[in-house]
Amino acid sequence: MRKLSTAPFIHTLRGTQYIYMCIALALIPPVIHAVFFYGLRALVLIVFSALLSLLLSGFVHGERDYGSVCEGVIFALMLPPGTSIITAAAGVFVAQLLVKRMFGGMGSYCFSPIAFARIFVEMAFPYDMGGFDSELGMRWFELESLFWLGGDGAGARISDYSMAELMAGRFSTFIGTGCALLIIIGMIFLLCSKSVGMRAPLIFLVTTAVAHFVTDIDLGPTDSLVSTLVYMMTSGILFVAAYLMTDPVTVAAYGWASVVEGVMAGIALPVISTKCSPIIAMCVTVIVVNLFDLTVRYFSDIMRRCRKAGDA
Amino acid sequence: MYFRELRHTAYRGFSSDNALDFSKRSSFVREVMLERVFPTRVIIPLKQHYGDPAIPIVNVGEHVTIGQCIGIPEENAFAVPVHSSISGEVTEIRDITLPNGVTCKAVCITSDRKRTYHKSVYPRSNIGISASEFMGIVKAAGIVGMGGEGIPTIAKINRARQAKVREVLVNCLQSEPYAGSDFIRITDSADYVVMGAVALAGAVGVTKIRFLISDKRRNEIDALMNSMQMTAGEYSGYSFDFVYYKERYPQGYYRMIAKSLYNMNLEIGQSVEEECQAVIFNVSTVYACWEAVADNLPLIARIITVTDEENKGHNVWAPIGTPVSELLDTVNGISVTNNEIIWGNCLTGLPISDPNNTPIIKTTSGITVVRKTQISKLPCIHCSSCYEACPMELDPGYLYQLLKCNESIKAEDERVLKCISCGACSYVCPSGIDLTSVIASYASARRNTNSYAYASTERIDISSQGLMDAESGEVTEPVKYFDGSMLLPFEEGKRI
């Protein structure tokens, strides 16, 4: 067969590197929040995870996979501030070597390596993952206390904070999942850059919010609404939607599949949340959606063949 | 009211929002400018169309003039005549292989710098001709589809008459990056376009003419409307209609038009004429038809967009057969060093290595110079961008994998043969995977169109010699009855 052409001779500027660059840029606001709130320690953890991911992916795949840098950063941002580097390294090893390498390789892995690694460290290092130690001694060069009045928030409950404080992420949570405002800025950037499909994550958020509102409706509409808003801002669901549900490899970016997956995740999350901790529930939900995506692709092939047979 | 109807229809276009709109990137839009090129020599291939080659009727050393017939169709061949585009001396008749794989004879002519027209070329004093006379002129002028497929226009007219079409569609939907030759044709000669469309409608036997154009092309729309108002008095029996489209690539492809206008998904082997009762002519072809009538000038030149990626470039009027190197010389500062020269436009064109001996032909709408860049190829990330961009609703990523695994039967089940080689999938692929060359090469080879890379040959059966007969069928819808003596269209030439 004669190769007719090498056309086209121009390509979109939105290559893989552009996509990962956009994701990296969208991660800057949560990283800033992490460093601002948890100090240099958080920065060390983030940089360490990113570099180790890049190193391992280069070692495993033989080429630089800039997507792994984003994965390293996202993974680090989902860790508690007191996490040790050894725990982070273990998670990165699992993500890059076990999930990405063994389950399809670069661009073809079947479920989110970050979600799997996060579940792994939660189960393997329960003590390290157990708390949100916010003693000043644990925060190297932390900047947050320069700007905020009052205490450091250790031991405080969510209900103790105002809505503004919750929005700003000034409460004990994982390194980068706290500040809803900055995560929303990251989401808006991703949406505007059109680098990743945002349909599934947005539908996921809407479904979750509706499900939460309906579940709490017996509190009354106003309280239920406040409860839903607080949940959306503090649970880390915004972070999961923005950075885990936008992975084009494991979640459908376009078409009806993205709608179904978004709705399914929103329905599955409250069910799974009754069985385990919120962060594990969200990671399990992501993995369930990833596996569902595999199924959808399989059945869409079958449907296509059926349609073809019907046409014939 | 000069014309019966001038209706603004709703926007049409791809259902997908991800379809390609290159007009949004200012670097893809070229300044509209028209210069004339007077080459020192031309290389005129005798097969510039879909079908059989013509045979030369001139000898080496012979002096030829502009518009003189230099190649005629063999008896019963699906071919059109070829004419000299400059005046000068025939220096060589040799075999040539064009970038699209066509091998044929070519007549090389060196210019005498006099630009002498053949005696048969002069403005026609009376343009009131009958439909059958018009068809004779179109055939003798060697007019072929100038949008890229190169189907002889006379064959299209006859096929439309056989299919009893109801309307003529004038395709003004040029949407490839940098390409602007059709638009400058409209702004420069809108009156010829309107009158050509009327003549074609008369030849086909319909009174309804629809111009398909992007809603962003306001200058071109205004030019066409003005021309309609100025000329429509002479053609009061015809109705004009605009159909506005969103700027999308490749909206001008006939299957896309059939889908958007008639909601018809044309399968392989189905034609617009038979399934939609319409016939589509490219706007440059329409112009060429009226030029043949009004100026008695065969198809010897066309407008070409010559450009590179550095915002250097313009549109030129160039004689058919002009070597690419001479076209590039007209653009100041264009550099071919470390660059790739494309015969055509940058999404569907073909690379050339010898610009000195590669001519432009009747179907060449652009010459593009692009940087030789090595796209870093990464594994597919299953982002579905190619699926979203494919105008034929194929799954290019899946087809690519099937063909790479030699699963050609499965690929054909997935309708790989419907690939139109538009290059959209490769363009949008973030991983830089060369989807188009694998899929389009397979599809084209299976459609047995090796000799003409981008032709959808299922539209015209070249064994139907009757399609090339200018006098076939009963002419029922005259353009306007002729009341005087008829000028001979062109010199028929002698067989050597």
Side-chain angles (χ1 to χ4, degrees), chain A residues 141-288:
Chain A
F141 310 108
E142 58 106 19
L143 304 170
E144 182 261 351
S145 57
L146 287 174
F147 297 93
W148 286 93
L149 300 171
D152 62 2
R157 291 173 302 172
I158 290 293
S159 56
D160 296 336
Y161 295 96
S162 72
M163 211 52 126
E165 285 175 319
L166 291 178
M167 197 71 180
R170 194 178 177 268
F171 58 95
S172 295
T173 181
F174 303 113
I175 292 176
T177 64
C179 185
L181 194 65
L182 292 177
I183 294 170
I184 289 170
I185 289 172
M187 286 179 86
I188 291 170
F189 174 77
L190 285 175
L191 201 62
C192 295
S193 69
K194 293 181 181 174
S195 51
V196 291
M198 292 297 287
R199 196 180 292 173
L202 291 176
I203 291 172
F204 167 52
L205 288 175
V206 171
T207 313
T208 307
V210 170
H212 198 276
F213 181 79
V214 170
T215 311
D216 286 355
I217 197 71
D218 52 340
L219 300 174
T222 310
D223 288 345
S224 177
L225 186 64
V226 171
S227 163
T228 303
L229 280 174
V230 169
Y231 173 75
M232 297 301 285
M233 282 191 290
T234 59
S235 63
I237 191 169
L238 284 174
F239 186 89
V240 170
Y243 302 110
L244 265 67
M245 289 286 286
T246 49
D247 184 1
V249 181
T250 54
V251 180
Y254 304 105
W256 63 270
S258 61
V259 178
V260 171
E261 287 171 22
V263 171
M264 206 195 80
I267 294 169
L269 181 59
V271 176
I272 299 170
S273 294
T274 59
K275 306 287 181 190
C276 49
S277 67
I279 185 67
I280 295 292
M282 280 186 278
C283 289
V284 169
T285 302
V286 170
I287 289 174
V288 167

Side-chain angles (χ1 to χ4, degrees), chain A residues 280-298:
Chain A
I280 295 292
M282 280 186 278
C283 289
V284 169
T285 302
V286 170
I287 289 174
V288 167
V289 168
N290 297 158
L291 295 175
F292 179 74
D293 185 59
L294 274 182
T295 318
V296 165
R297 288 179 197 205
Y298 176 75

Side-chain angles (χ1 to χ4, degrees), chain B residues 363-374:
Chain B
T363 57
T364 314
S365 62
I367 297 294
T368 315
V369 178
V370 293
R371 277 189 297 273
K372 274 184 185 167
T373 47
Q374 197 66 38

Side-chain angles (χ1 to χ4, degrees), chain B residues 47-92:
Chain B
K47 180 174 170 10
Q48 303 178 41
H49 56 276
Y50 169 63
D52 302 318
I55 53 171
I57 56 167
V58 289
N59 293 310
V60 173
E62 194 174 323
H63 188 269
V64 294
T65 48
I66 297 173
Q68 181 178 339
C69 187
I70 58 172
I72 58 169
E74 217 165 357
E75 202 171 336
N76 294 328
F78 195 91
V80 290
V82 180
H83 302 81
S84 174
S85 56
I86 61 171
S87 62
E89 187 183 330
V90 177
T91 52
E92 193 182 9

Side-chain angles (χ1 to χ4, degrees), chain A residues 41 79-88 121-122 124-132:
Chain A
R41 186 179 207 292
L79 295 173
T83 308
S84 73
I85 274 182
I86 294 168
T87 308
V121 293
E122 189 77 21
F125 306 98
Y127 179 74
D128 205 19
M129 297 286 110
F132 299 91

